[in-house]
Amino acid sequence: MSQDNETAASVVTEFFIVGFPGLLPKYYSLMAALLFCIYIAVITGNSLIVVLFVIERSLHKPMYIILLSLSFSDIGFCTVALPKVISRYWFNDGYIGFYVCLFQRQLIHYFGTLNSLIMMIMALDRYLAICYPLRYPVLMTNRTMRLLIGFSWVTAMISPTISSMQTVTLPFCGPNMIAQCFCDSQSMNQLACADVSLQNRISYGLAMFVLLVPFSFIIFSYASILVSVLRIANAQGRMKAFSTCATQLTIIIIYYVPRFVVYSSSSIPNIQMNSSQKVALVMFYSLLPPLVNPFIYCIRIKEIRLFFLKWCVQRNRMSLKINRLIIS
């Protein structure tokens, strides 16, 4: 970085998180309360998945290792993204330091990339389980799944690091209003006092790579699953396979499709979105999956339902014993 850039970059020492543009001040407390409730629900639901995995040994299987990793990722993302925007609306404290903003941006894109890789691994797991059921226990062991998950947690840092290194070289000397609920690549690049066309192309290319490669593999996996399911003679078996995949495919669609729209809105002429629409869509695809994932999987997965049933039965028995002791 040149001396001029260093001087210019030192002018802006903090940014201000705008949040939802156009939101009237009288709704600030309501928005803060809503985001706080979402945050508590995400932490509670995903922590429940973690606790279940720890105490119930029957869940120590490849599929549940994926869910455990997804829960940790969702907790991490919401913990990075939500507290500052909640503070902005509850206490009107939206200021965030330059390097803190850069670090938040790094983690925001890291957890986004990580979720994309985890969903690809989830699709791979379902592909092997349904298309190669006899070989599945050999192909997908707990050790193999741990290696895949560990690899995804490490490699997910590559793309955000490249993008952040590009931003560090930019001078920030004027406006400091982040038109988003958290610091991200597009919002920060827009505030630079320089030509950011190269950085935008690099960020866009990285985003499309992170989205398209896993999404292409996911489409291939579920297309292969569909072909295999249609070959199953047993109608009950077909319904079970469809039911298992439909839930995951719904979450995947919610996760990927809005992201393509947001990242491509500036490149596709027919897609025109104002800042309020873009922020709302970003928050939708960022918060809905972490919010609904634990509840969907707790309802849909047989082992988790059985655990809750067993827990309820044991609790009722304990209550009956206590009542008998009180009566006697």
Side-chain angles (χ1 to χ4, degrees):
M1 185 188 295
S2 66
Q3 184 66 33
D4 290 340
N5 281 356
E6 288 180 354
T7 302
S10 65
V11 173
V12 174
T13 59
E14 62 182 5
F15 294 103
F16 186 84
I17 302 296
V18 174
F20 293 91
L23 184 67
L24 298 177
K26 64 180 180 180
Y27 297 120
Y28 281 7
S29 296
L30 180 61
M31 178 58 69
L34 175 62
L35 292 174
F36 180 74
C37 290
I38 291 175
Y39 180 59
I40 295 300
V42 169
I43 297 299
T44 302
N46 286 281
S47 297
L48 177 63
I49 297 292
V50 175
V51 171
L52 286 177
F53 184 86
V54 171
I55 64 178
E56 184 60 33
R57 296 191 62 84
S58 65
L59 299 181
H60 292 190
K61 299 176 183 178
M63 181 60 194
Y64 305 116
I65 294 175
I66 299 175
L67 295 184
L68 178 68
S69 182
L70 187 61
S71 293
F72 277 125
S73 179
D74 288 340
I75 290 172
F77 175 84
C78 290
T79 300
V80 170
L82 289 182
K84 174 49 68 174
V85 70
I86 292 173
S87 174
R88 183 262 183 276
Y89 283 121
W90 233 329
F91 309 110
N92 198 27
D93 179 21
Y95 287 100
I96 182 170
F98 178 86
Y99 289 104
V100 176
C101 184
L102 196 65
F103 183 63
Q104 185 191 48
R105 163 206 162 128
Q106 173 83 4
L107 292 181
I108 289 290
H109 292 300
Y110 169 71
F111 285 117
T113 304
L114 178 60
N115 276 10
S116 186
L117 295 176
I118 290 174
M119 290 183 184
M120 182 176 70
I121 295 173
M122 185 183 295
L124 172 64
D125 179 75
R126 291 301 86 199
Y127 168 74
L128 294 176
I130 294 175
C131 297
Y132 301 96
L134 298 180
R135 298 176 59 190
Y136 175 77
V138 177
L139 294 173
M140 189 57 74
T141 62
N142 284 356
R143 182 175 181 273
T144 302
M145 181 56 71
R146 291 191 190 100
L147 288 174
L148 289 173
I149 292 296
F151 182 75
S152 67
W153 276 81
V154 173
T155 57
M157 188 61 74
I158 296 175
S159 175
T161 301
I162 295 174
S163 180
S164 295
M165 289 174 64
Q166 295 287 325
T167 301
V168 169
T169 63
L170 295 174
F172 292 88
C173 57
N176 67 339
M177 308 292 282
I178 298 286
Q180 188 55 268
C181 290
F182 43 74
C183 299
D184 69 342
S185 177
Q186 290 184 344
S187 300
M188 290 190 70
N189 287 352
Q190 288 175 359
L191 301 179
C193 302
D195 181 14
V196 294
S197 56
L198 176 61
Q199 284 77 9
N200 286 338
R201 285 196 294 270
I202 292 174
S203 296
Y204 179 76
L206 290 171
M208 287 298 102
F209 178 80
V210 167
L211 290 174
L212 285 175
V213 172
F215 187 68
S216 300
F217 182 82
I218 289 168
I219 294 299
F220 167 77
S221 298
Y222 281 100
S224 302
I225 289 172
L226 179 62
V227 172
S228 298
V229 167
L230 293 176
R231 291 175 180 172
I232 298 175
N234 187 347
Q236 185 177 1
R238 284 200 301 270
M239 289 300 299
K240 183 178 179 181
F242 271 127
S243 177
T244 302
C245 295
T247 302
Q248 297 173 3
L249 197 56
T250 301
I251 296 297
I252 288 169
I253 290 173
I254 293 173
Y255 180 85
Y256 278 102
V257 174
R259 275 177 164 81
F260 283 122
V261 174
V262 170
Y263 282 111
S264 302
S265 60
S266 59
S267 303
I268 301 176
N270 294 331
I271 300 179
Q272 295 183 352
M273 300 175 62
N274 59 42
S275 58
S276 297
Q277 292 172 333
K278 185 174 290 187
V279 170
L281 191 56
V282 168
M283 294 302 286
F284 170 78
Y285 72 62
S286 297
L287 297 181
L288 184 62
L291 182 63
V292 301
N293 277 344
F295 303 102
I296 289 177
Y297 290 122
C298 285
I299 293 172
R300 300 292 297 175
I301 295 176
K302 180 180 178 181
E303 285 84 350
I304 295 180
R305 292 202 308 269
L306 290 176
F307 174 84
F308 278 115
L309 181 62
K310 183 172 67 175
W311 180 77
C312 290
V313 170
Q314 291 177 347
R315 186 177 179 181
N316 289 336
R317 288 177 179 174
M318 184 65 67
S319 298
L320 289 174
K321 289 181 180 179
I322 293 174
N323 291 335
R324 288 174 182 173
L325 288 174
I326 292 174
I327 294 173
S328 61

